[in-house]
Amino acid sequence: MPPIVRFHTRCIPAEQLVPGHPTSRIIIDNGLCDTFSDDSLRALRDTGVSVVEARAVWAMLEPTENRWDWEYLDRCLEACARHGMELGLFVWPQHAPAWFLEKCGIPHMRCMEHGEDSRFLSFWSPRTIETFERCYQLIADRYGKSIAMVYVGSAGCYGEPQYPQGVTHYHFFSGTHNHKGFWCGDDLARLSFSDTFGRALPAAGSLGLSMLREDPAAWLEFARWYTSSLTS
């Protein structure tokens, strides 16, 4: 029996976007905010799409500690069922609720250029992984038997494993310190680097990065450590 080929699309809710932002307008004009409307689902189904992906954003699902709001995802699931389609989830645990960020005590990723923190939790803290696992487990408990797929999100502005990219059209981190660069300035990242190479990571600022770049071998070591920290 030949394998079943599935095609999927996604929805980006308008309430996640910064109003008036040029990229927000493009997303809205492309219809990605209306994917779960009956007209859109009918048209998508007729063109061969069988799975529609919704975002499961931690900050929106648990706005108050231990009080989960499943209404949006439940509606997405019901809409897909009405049209004989399936729901997929793109989980965004990296966007933590404000109440959690205020009390968790987990270091944030800190940029090497300016010594300032981002909104994102440090990859080098074991507690970051624990918080992500809790989020995934609660989502699995509710939807594990009802959805067709999970697109694994873990970090960064877009969800895929990455460091901050300077995205400004999502309101989760609009106005926060967020740009392309090197985000390993927090104490746990520095400890990881020193444990790996037996020497300290240069201090924050352009001079520290310049010192690394002056030694090609050291720069290559740094680049390998930095990129592997996303997946280790």
Side-chain angles (χ1 to χ4, degrees), residues 111-155:
C111 82
M112 287 287 291
E113 289 88 338
H114 310 100
E116 294 189 38
D117 287 349
S118 74
R119 192 180 190 279
F120 302 108
L121 302 177
S122 172
F123 294 161
W124 290 273
S125 171
R127 292 183 57 207
T128 297
I129 303 302
E130 292 172 4
T131 63
F132 289 2
E133 288 177 344
R134 170 181 175 269
C135 186
Y136 271 101
Q137 185 60 59
L138 288 166
I139 291 172
D141 290 344
R142 185 170 184 89
Y143 297 109
K145 296 181 180 180
S146 305
I147 60 175
M149 55 162 267
V150 172
Y151 188 23
V152 176
S154 62

